[in-house]
Amino acid sequence: MYPEQFKLLFEPELLKEIEDIARIQEVRANDIILNIGQTVKSMPIIISGSLRVTRISEEGKEILLYYVYANESCAMTFTCCMEQQASEIRAIAEEDSILLNIPVSVMDKWIVKYPTWKNFVMSTMRFRFNELLRTIDQIAFQKLDERLIHYLKEKSKVSGSTVLNVSHEQVALDLATSRVVISRLLKKMENDEQILLYRTQIKLLNKFFEF
DNA sequence: ACATTAAGTGATT
DNA sequence: AATCACTTAATGT
C-alpha cells in the first residue's frame, strides 16, 4: 500500500491509520492535479513519479517553481488546506505518477497525535521553503543562461536520462521567456559542445555536467 | 504534395 | 533579453 520508507518514518499506529484513510490516486503525465483557485481537500504524497509546481501570471504566463519527487509532498497544500484556502499554485504530473491522498480532516489530529507526522510536515515545509528561496534567487539575480542550465539539469534528474524530449517552446514557457531567446542560448551551448540539438529533443553531453 | 509545427537567424528596440 | 519578420527543416495527413 504505502512505500517501504514510510515504515522507518512513521510509527505503526500511524501507518495503520494511513492505510485505513488514505486513498491511492494514479495520474497520467500532464494531468493537472491541482489548479489555481481550487480548494485543497486532501494532501498528496508522491509514491512514485514526480510533479511540477507552477504559478501563473495575470497574462497567463506559467513559470516553474519546483518539482516534487517521490516520498515528498507539496508544502503549499499544508498551508492552504488547513484553512481551506484556494490554491495559489498549479500542480501537474510530470510523468505517470501514483499519489497517496491524505484527507485534510485527519491532518490536524495527526499533528497533535503523532510526533513523526509533525516532523514529516515540518521537514517538508522547511525543505520547500529553502528550495523556493533558491528559485527566487535565480529569478531575481541569475541570468537566463544560468537558469536554463539549472532547468536542464533538473529535467535530466526527473527523467533519469541525458536525453530530454522537450521543445524549445516548452522550455521557454517553463522559464517564462520567449522561444527565440531559448533557441539562441541552446545554440550557443551546442556550439560549445555541451549539448546536441534535435527536433523536440536535447541531448546533454558529458561536458555539460562538468562542474 | 501540401499543411503544420519546430527551430534558426538577422535586424531592431 | 524581447519582439518581429522571415527562412529552413522536420513531421503529419
Side-chain angles (χ1 to χ4, degrees):
Chain A
M1 197 73 190
Y2 43 77
E4 285 297 307
Q5 295 93 310
F6 278 24
K7 292 183 184 170
L8 305 170
L9 224 55
F10 303 131
E11 54 260 76
E13 308 92 85
L14 177 52
L15 288 171
K16 196 177 177 311
E17 285 214 51
I18 290 175
E19 195 149 19
D20 287 346
I21 291 169
R23 61 167 227 286
I24 298 279
Q25 181 188 7
E26 290 185 40
V27 293
R28 316 250 314 167
N30 297 319
D31 280 356
I32 294 179
I33 291 142
L34 175 68
N35 214 336
I36 292 174
Q38 280 187 308
T39 39
V40 195
K41 68 275 171 271
S42 66
M43 192 204 77
I45 297 172
I46 321 297
I47 291 182
S48 72
S50 53
L51 312 183
R52 42 197 274 116
V53 175
T54 63
R55 200 163 158 63
I56 322 279
S57 75
E58 287 141 30
E59 305 95 71
K61 281 194 178 184
E62 187 170 7
I63 188 164
L64 178 67
L65 292 180
Y66 51 79
Y67 288 101
V68 186
Y69 301 104
N71 297 322
E72 295 178 1
S73 181
C74 179
M76 278 309 290
T77 55
F78 290 128
T79 50
C80 56
C81 79
M82 292 296 208
E83 305 253 327
Q84 298 283 292
Q85 290 282 315
S87 173
E88 298 281 338
I89 51 98
R90 170 184 286 175
I92 307 159
E94 175 78 2
E95 52 194 318
D96 293 354
S97 307
I98 299 173
L99 315 178
L100 190 67
N101 278 305
I102 314 278
V104 179
S105 47
V106 298
M107 285 196 42
D108 267 332
K109 277 190 295 176
W110 287 4
I111 284 184
V112 180
K113 207 164 154 192
Y114 303 109
T116 57
W117 179 255
K118 194 172 104 184
N119 279 341
F120 177 73
V121 172
M122 295 304 261
S123 66
T124 5
M125 293 273 281
R126 183 161 31 83
F127 179 82
R128 222 31 96 184
F129 191 81
N130 286 334
E131 181 149 299
L132 261 181
L133 280 183
R134 259 182 281 129
T135 306
I136 290 171
D137 282 349
Q138 275 195 32
I139 295 168
F141 307 122
Q142 276 186 24
K143 285 178 260 143
L144 190 55
D145 55 350
E146 287 168 331
R147 282 213 286 149
L148 177 58
I149 289 167
H150 181 265
Y151 172 86
L152 293 174
K153 282 188 179 160
E154 198 71 10
K155 266 273 186 208
S156 149
K157 200 169 119 194
V158 173
S159 62
S161 160
T162 57
V163 179
L164 313 176
N165 291 304
V166 66
S167 70
H168 296 189
E169 180 77 50
Q170 186 55 52
V171 178
L173 285 172
D174 285 341
L175 299 180
T177 178
S178 69
R179 192 225 94 217
V180 194
V181 174
I182 293 299
S183 289
R184 288 206 164 105
L185 287 172
L186 287 171
K187 201 72 207 165
K188 255 187 215 163
M189 293 172 72
E190 189 181 38
N191 292 334
D192 249 27
E193 290 172 326
Q194 294 181 289
I195 58 174
L196 287 174
L197 298 175
Y198 306 92
R199 188 178 229 244
T200 49
Q201 182 166 287
I202 301 168
K203 194 172 281 178
L204 307 178
L205 302 177
N206 289 338
K207 193 172 173 186
F208 173 82
F209 293 99
E210 285 171 17
F211 131 117

